């Protein structure tokens, strides 16, 4: 089912909702509740993490998350930048 959901979302026009859905698919439900996209521009998804610990986990898994974002967002999600209060 996740593959079908990914393909369905990937086929939709680029929008804020699509980026939010892609983030949720890329990081999973628990991490999506603790972080989320605040904007995207020029292939970069800017992400707010609720705590330094969450930011550390996102950094640790950056390569996997970015690969998953590219699956759904294509060139709109080549990488992400964390915006935290560290």
């Amino acid at each position: 089912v996740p593959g079908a959901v990914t393909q369905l979302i990937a086929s939709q026009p680029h929008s804020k909702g699509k980026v939010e859905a892609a983030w949720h698919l890329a990081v999973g439900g628990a991490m999506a509740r603790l972080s989320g996209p605040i904007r995207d521009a020029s292939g970069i998804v800017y992400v707010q993490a609720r705590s330094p610990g969450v930011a550390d986990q996102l950094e640790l898994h950056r390569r996997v998350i970015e690969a998953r974002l590219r699956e759904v967002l294509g060139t709109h999600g080549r990488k992400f930048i964390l915006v935290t209060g560290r």
Side-chain angles (χ1 to χ4, degrees):
V1 174
V5 173
T6 299
Q7 290 177 349
L8 179 65
I9 293 171
S11 69
Q12 300 303 309
H14 189 71
S15 66
K16 180 180 179 191
K18 181 176 180 175
V19 173
E20 290 170 354
W23 183 256
H24 191 276
L25 287 170
V27 300
M31 190 60 77
R33 286 188 291 278
L34 299 172
S35 64
I38 51 177
R39 72 181 180 100
D40 70 291
S42 303
I44 300 170
V45 177
Y46 292 84
V47 174
Q48 178 74 48
R50 290 198 182 174
S51 72
V54 170
D56 289 344
Q57 288 300 307
L58 293 173
E59 284 293 345
L60 182 65
H61 300 287
R62 175 179 288 277
R63 290 177 62 187
V64 172
I65 294 168
E66 288 177 342
R68 290 177 180 167
L69 286 174
R70 280 190 297 276
E71 280 183 48
V72 179
L73 300 177
T75 59
H76 290 286
R78 289 190 302 265
K79 62 182 178 174
F80 70 90
I81 292 178
L82 287 170
V83 179
T84 64
R86 286 210 234 198

